[in-house]
Amino acid sequence: MSPVRVLALSLLVLLSGCSGCDREEAPKPPPVVEVDAGAVVPLARLEGLSGDVRLERAGKVVPAVEGPLLAGDAVETGDQGSAVVRFPGGRTVEVSREGRFALGSDSTGVVMKVERGIVLSRVPAGGGSVAGSKVTLNILTPFGLTRVGPEPSEVKVAVAEDSARVEVKLGAIELVSKDGRTLRAAEGDAVDLTRERAEVVPAAPRIVELAPIAVTVRATSGDAEVKAKNTGRWRKVRREGEVLASGDGVRTKGGEAVLSLKDNGSLLTLSPGAEAVLEGAGQEGATDEARVNLLQGLLAVQLAAGRTSRVVLPELTLEGGGAAKLEIRRTGAGMLVTAHAGDVTLRRGDTRQALRAGERATVGSDGNAKVDPLEEAAVAVGPGNGTEVFHRGLAEVALTWEGEGDTVVEAAQDAAFTRRVLWGRVHRSSVNVSALARGTLYWRVRKEDGAQVAAGSVHFAPESPTSALARVRNVVPEGPEKTTIFYQDKPPAVTFTYGSEPQASTYRVAVYKSGSLTTPVAQRTVAETRAALEAGALGEGSYLWSVTPLSQAGAALKGGRMNKLELVYDNSVVGLVVDSPRQGGAAAEKVRASGVAPVDARLSINGRAVPLDGKHRFDTWVAPMGMPPLLVFKMTRPGAPDVLTVRTLKPRGP
């Protein structure tokens, strides 16, 4: 560095010798300081070198030696290399092997750009300040910026090719993710980073001894068996359910068994063919814990809302801070943990890893977990009531809706949402849910403030044989558009649906022939928002129908609006008929799909529109999707819910 030259200029004021003449001395100008343009102030000092360490300065790479580090310098360590960077004020950063960083600065402090490797930042008590000023170290990675203040701290930053992890061992940090979000992490927390997201993994909660609570098991379908500890005899679970003791085993055969924790909303469901041993359960305040050894098969877990819950298995522990729907499957190589709704933390010893809704973790026998996004189910259902899904053995469907941002999803087997099968927060506009073998699934999506985003219901059933199609009940919704029903053989059964009236006790539905409104041809008074007429009650022709809400005394609360209905005889099918492929048939790169659809229907197969000929037949080749391979026939008709017919094929190969 060039020497600093200081030039001092003085102005002397000469006084005349004339007596009586008072003159003031002119003020002295300040000294003029010239600083050499080549002067550079060091940002840190490189020391503690070990193994292969290289310094890059002004485009030249040389073996590193202990000395000052300047803005723009880069340091790289080899396979066995390491180094220490010491900053003014006592802060140090340890750089491990195969690392690389560059130094710079901005208005907030020093910037250390870490491209790869592991760095450990330490601020001792009283360190991190220079001449009374507080200095912030900004550790910049490809996935976010970590700010470490002057307070005592210890922060580890590990940068890999596609992710980074920041662990706060002492103190606290502030982190800015790639999408501009600011996160804060305290002692014991960690932050997992990728280019798409940043997630704080909170410190493990303090493990306390929980008061034991009872766990009840009951079979919801098929057979479930229980085996007492230290015995070799299995017996059927009592029909009314029974309390399990610690060490009892449970297994299922062709059905499901539900384990419920006393005074708690958490449920554990063993799928068909699964086996587990209950090792205990406990509760303390708003914290609960279930200890289970899953020996084989699938265990579905619904964690309660508003509670801190733990599911402890021999290999790992799942921790949640609210409602969450998880699935744990035992595999030959370890375990698969799927988070459908709700965010949880996987804990294995001192290692904690975030698992967000819509992600799946593959846990190996060595305890290491790989987290991947969860694919949307091949069969998707949108909002709206009455969607029908005909299938035999379909595992799951995707509930989908429009919009972005976090929402809370609920799915239940009753319209009052008391028999929930899924509940929790999701981060995308879909969620996978198990398909029912038979029955109706109700679902709704709301924002955090309770505002509803979407809702719907899906009816599941095995596919009906062609000979039974004439018995399909047609649904006629209330509304300004005319509903047309095409039929063959004989007029079908008809169900009228309409909105509810808060003050109504019953509803009177009247059906008239068009042009004759004096006497109804059919009339029903019911308490529900749907009224059914048996097959043949209405013949071919045009009709008007109305619904009038009635008070408890039988008085009309308001006049009924007239709706249009037309029954038309047509020599065609009344439902979708799929001739090929057969259920369970062999899959191929493309398979033949043929059949016939009703005259007013539109058809798509695996999302691709399929044209119908003049007799409403279709015959085409389609590539199966998903695993196992599926063909999803989606039929839409004016004024009627969507109908999905799913054919599951046998995968190719061994």
Side-chain angles (χ1 to χ4, degrees), residues 117-123 139 141 146-148 152-159 164-175 184-193 199-203 348 350-354:
I118 299 175
V119 300
L120 180 63
S121 167
R122 285 193 176 98
V123 179
I139 302 177
T141 74
T146 302
R147 295 194 178 105
V148 184
S153 65
E154 183 174 324
V155 179
K156 179 182 177 182
V157 179
V159 181
R165 184 177 177 86
V166 180
E167 297 179 9
V168 185
K169 300 179 179 296
L170 178 67
I173 63 166
E174 182 179 82
L175 188 141
R184 290 173 176 81
E187 183 174 328
D189 293 345
V191 184
D192 288 330
L193 299 160
E199 180 73 17
V200 175
V201 181
R348 302 173 308 285
D350 293 332
T351 302
R352 298 182 304 279
Q353 189 168 2

Side-chain angles (χ1 to χ4, degrees), residues 243-262:
V243 176
L244 295 174
S246 177
D248 285 356
V250 180
R251 69 183 183 185
T252 54
K253 292 184 175 181
E256 293 183 339
V258 176
L259 282 67
S260 55
L261 280 63
K262 183 180 180 181

Side-chain angles (χ1 to χ4, degrees), residues 355-376:
L355 183 67
R356 287 161 52 92
E359 293 182 339
R360 171 176 289 161
T362 304
V363 184
S365 56
D366 58 359
N368 292 325
K370 181 177 182 293
V371 175
D372 296 299
L374 185 63
E375 292 186 4
E376 188 177 285

Side-chain angles (χ1 to χ4, degrees), residues 100-102 112-119 139-142 157 159:
R100 178 180 171 83
F101 71 89
M112 174 179 262
K113 184 179 180 182
V114 181
E115 298 178 17
R116 65 175 182 270
I118 299 175
V119 300
I139 302 177
L140 179 64
T141 74
V157 179
V159 181

Side-chain angles (χ1 to χ4, degrees), residues 230-401:
N230 298 326
T231 68
R233 186 176 65 87
W234 290 93
R235 60 175 178 80
K236 282 189 177 181
V237 173
R238 298 187 185 96
R239 179 174 298 180
E240 67 275 14
E242 56 186 286
V243 176
L244 295 174
S246 177
D248 285 356
V250 180
R251 69 183 183 185
T252 54
K253 292 184 175 181
E256 293 183 339
V258 176
L259 282 67
S260 55
L261 280 63
K262 183 180 180 181
D263 300 328
N264 193 300
S266 292
L267 298 174
L268 288 77
T269 303
L270 282 171
S271 294
E275 181 179 344
V277 175
L278 175 69
E279 297 183 340
Q283 183 171 291
E284 185 70 32
T287 299
D288 58 75
E289 177 181 274
R291 299 181 294 280
V292 181
N293 186 3
L294 179 62
L295 302 179
Q296 67 178 31
L298 174 68
L299 176 67
V301 178
Q302 176 64 59
L303 298 181
R307 301 185 63 83
T308 298
S309 303
R310 293 194 297 267
V311 178
V312 182
L313 297 103
E315 300 86 349
L316 58 90
T317 297
L318 289 84
E319 300 171 341
K325 180 58 183 286
L326 315 168
E327 287 182 350
I328 309 168
R329 183 183 295 276
R330 169 75 67 182
T331 68
M335 301 188 107
L336 285 178
V337 182
T338 303
H340 290 291
D343 300 339
V344 296
T345 299
L346 302 180
R347 199 180 87 232
R348 302 173 308 285
D350 293 332
T351 302
R352 298 182 304 279
Q353 189 168 2
L355 183 67
R356 287 161 52 92
E359 293 182 339
R360 171 176 289 161
T362 304
V363 184
S365 56
D366 58 359
N368 292 325
K370 181 177 182 293
V371 175
D372 296 299
L374 185 63
E375 292 186 4
E376 188 177 285
V379 179
V381 177
N385 291 321
T387 299
E388 295 183 286
V389 177
F390 297 111
H391 73 97
R392 292 187 182 275
L394 179 66
E396 59 184 3
V397 298
L399 308 177
T400 65
W401 57 93

Side-chain angles (χ1 to χ4, degrees), residues 151 161 166 190 209 216 223 260 289 312 343 384 388 473 596 618 622 645:
E151 294 77 16
E161 182 178 351
V166 180
E209 190 67 28
T216 301
D223 291 331
S260 55
E289 177 181 274
V312 182
D343 300 339
E388 295 183 286
R473 181 178 296 274
V596 60
F618 60 94
V622 180
T645 302

